[in-house]
């Protein structure tokens, strides 16, 4: 069994290639992918070559962890059934080509326990489940009153803060174009916000240089959650943090419980995924699509359409 897949051969060199797939076992499913999303956080670092070293890192690799499609084969112990519309958070089924994170392909072989059944009516919006789960993981133990960054992750953090906390957070965004689209919360430039008593700040910007300025906006005993992905070391001046007895927390990647929680919120209609996908391309145009996703500030979320690439 083969698939067409996005392959990063080296930084800034991306091709579509046909790869051999691992044979599915009794616990696996085969998913024909309909849509996959392009991450402007981790995938941008893989693209640029700035991803910090970690186990399994290296090229060539298949990126992507935001895929949705239909189950076409289901092993006897997979727990899934043929015809289900599912979310796939990546796969490792490409032989010698690394799957980091292995979702940007027309067909995937993955353990059935890893896929999440979705309402097929979500369509392409299903690719947003990974970011929604990431947002949930960042704030479920402490609802922020300030969110830094108004990309897709920041918007989802703000929407979830409203749902889970009942109070609208303030959102900072320096790009005037990205200050649009706040749903029930204010989006402002940090230069226009004099407040210095935030109790919980959630940073999703990925900007390693912001920590001192965020500490300066905390109330005593306040907390900063670092929920972006930072390619450079972070540092801060100790005295202001000491005076405020500031707490700094790192939000790791989402867990299964986060994905289940946001799936329930989406199914119930409480969490909207509308207005977040701005760009779409056929998977055959993957190379220019990735460049647009990383370089066009108007692009919140790029989605690749794989439906005609099987």
């Amino acid at each position: 069994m083969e698939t067409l897949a996005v392959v990063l051969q080296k930084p800034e060199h991306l091709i579509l290639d046909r790869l051999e797939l691992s044979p599915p076992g009794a616990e696996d499913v085969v998913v024909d992918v309909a849509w996959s999303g392009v991450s402007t956080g981790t995938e941008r670092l893989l693209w640029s070559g700035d991803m910090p070293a970690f186990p399994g890192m290296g090229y060539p690799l298949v990126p992507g962890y935001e895929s949705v499609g239909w189950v076409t084969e289901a092993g006897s112990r997979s727990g899934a059934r043929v015809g289900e519309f599912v979310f796939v958070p990546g796969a490792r089924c490409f032989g010698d080509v690394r799957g980091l994170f292995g979702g940007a392909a027309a067909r995937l072989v993955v353990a059935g326990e890893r896929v999440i059944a979705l309402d097929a009516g979500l369509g392409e919006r299903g690719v947003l489940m990974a970011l929604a789960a990431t947002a949930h993981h960042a704030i479920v133990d402490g609802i922020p009153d300030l969110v830094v960054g108004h990309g897709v992750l920041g918007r989802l953090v703000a929407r979830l803060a409203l749902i889970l906390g009942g109070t609208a957070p303030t959102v900072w965004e320096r790009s005037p174009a990205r200050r649009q689209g706040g749903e029930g919360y204010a989006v402002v430039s940090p230069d226009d916000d004099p407040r210095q008593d935030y109790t919980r700040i959630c940073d999703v910007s990925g900007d390693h240089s912001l920590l001192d300025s965020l500490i300066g906006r905390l109330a005593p005993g306040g907390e900063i959650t670092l929920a972006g992905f930072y390619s450079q070391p972070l540092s801060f001046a100790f005295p202001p943090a000491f005076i405020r007895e500031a707490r700094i927390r790192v939000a790791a990647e989402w867990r299964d419980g986060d994905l289940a929680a946001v799936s329930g919120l989406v199914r119930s209609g409480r969490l909207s995924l509308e207005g977040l996908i701005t760009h779409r391309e056929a998977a055959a145009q993957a190379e220019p699509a990735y460049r647009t996703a990383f370089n066009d500030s108007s692009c919140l979320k790029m989605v690749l359409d794989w439906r005609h690439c099987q």
Side-chain angles (χ1 to χ4, degrees), residues 6 8 10-15 38-40 43-44 47-48 178 279 281 285-304:
V6 171
L8 265 170
K10 59 183 180 180
E12 298 191 25
H13 190 76
L14 179 152
I15 64 170
V38 178
S39 166
T40 55
E43 284 189 78
R44 184 198 298 270
W47 165 266
S48 66
R178 290 201 169 191
H279 289 65
E281 287 286 356
Q285 299 300 312
E287 201 275 346
Y290 271 73
R291 291 186 182 275
T292 296
F294 300 148
N295 298 313
D296 186 342
S297 62
S298 70
C299 182
L300 288 178
K301 172 58 69 176
M302 170 67 76
V303 168
L304 298 183

Side-chain angles (χ1 to χ4, degrees), residues 154-168:
R155 293 169 198 238
L156 287 166
V157 167
R159 292 179 188 188
L160 284 168
L162 270 169
I163 295 167
L164 301 178
T167 303

Side-chain angles (χ1 to χ4, degrees), residues 10-289:
K10 59 183 180 180
E12 298 191 25
H13 190 76
L14 179 152
I15 64 170
L16 280 179
D17 200 5
R18 192 159 289 279
L19 303 177
E20 189 77 21
L21 284 170
S22 304
E27 297 177 349
D28 297 327
V29 295
V30 178
V31 178
D32 281 1
V33 175
W35 298 279
S36 66
V38 178
S39 166
T40 55
T42 52
E43 284 189 78
R44 184 198 298 270
L45 298 177
L46 293 172
W47 165 266
S48 66
D50 293 326
M51 176 66 81
F54 62 89
M57 178 62 193
Y59 299 88
L61 62 88
V62 178
Y65 54 88
E66 303 172 326
S67 302
V68 291
W70 281 269
V71 175
T72 56
E73 296 182 30
S76 60
R77 297 197 300 273
S78 67
R81 57 181 176 80
V82 172
E84 281 187 304
F85 185 70
V86 295
F87 169 78
V88 185
R92 296 180 181 178
C93 55
F94 308 105
D96 293 336
V97 177
R98 293 174 172 86
L100 287 173
F101 301 86
R107 180 171 289 130
L108 300 170
V109 177
V110 62
E113 66 181 8
R114 295 201 69 213
V115 305
I116 298 292
L118 299 177
D119 182 344
L122 272 178
E124 65 179 10
R125 289 170 295 161
V127 306
L128 297 166
M129 296 303 296
L131 284 176
T134 300
H136 184 272
H137 189 80
I139 71 169
V140 68
D141 291 328
I143 307 302
D145 44 4
L146 174 63
V147 180
V148 182
H150 201 226
V152 174
L153 183 56
R155 293 169 198 238
L156 287 166
V157 167
R159 292 179 188 188
L160 284 168
L162 270 169
I163 295 167
L164 301 178
T167 303
T170 298
V171 178
W172 282 359
E173 176 56 60
R174 288 202 173 275
S175 168
R178 290 201 169 191
R179 289 185 206 133
Q180 308 302 314
E183 297 189 357
Y185 55 86
V187 187
V188 301
S189 167
D191 297 333
D192 297 330
D193 181 7
R195 187 174 168 184
Q196 296 182 333
D197 62 348
Y198 287 107
T199 58
R200 287 192 176 94
I201 299 174
C202 182
D203 176 55
V204 298
S205 71
D207 186 345
H208 71 280
S209 68
L210 285 182
L211 202 46
D212 276 331
S213 63
L214 298 183
I215 289 170
R217 298 301 191 107
L218 280 176
E223 179 178 273
I224 296 170
T225 297
L226 300 172
F229 204 93
Y230 306 86
S231 61
Q232 300 294 320
L234 282 77
S235 62
F236 61 93
F238 183 72
F242 173 83
I243 291 169
R244 290 170 177 81
E245 201 169 354
R247 294 171 293 165
I248 298 173
R249 185 171 71 92
V250 176
E253 63 183 357
W254 53 269
R255 302 291 188 259
D256 291 343
D258 300 301
L259 194 55
V262 295
S263 296
L265 290 171
V266 171
R267 277 196 304 271
S268 70
R270 295 181 67 196
L271 176 61
S272 170
L273 300 179
E274 297 289 346
L276 301 175
I277 296 173
T278 56
H279 289 65
R280 302 159 182 85
E281 287 286 356
Q285 299 300 312
E287 201 275 346

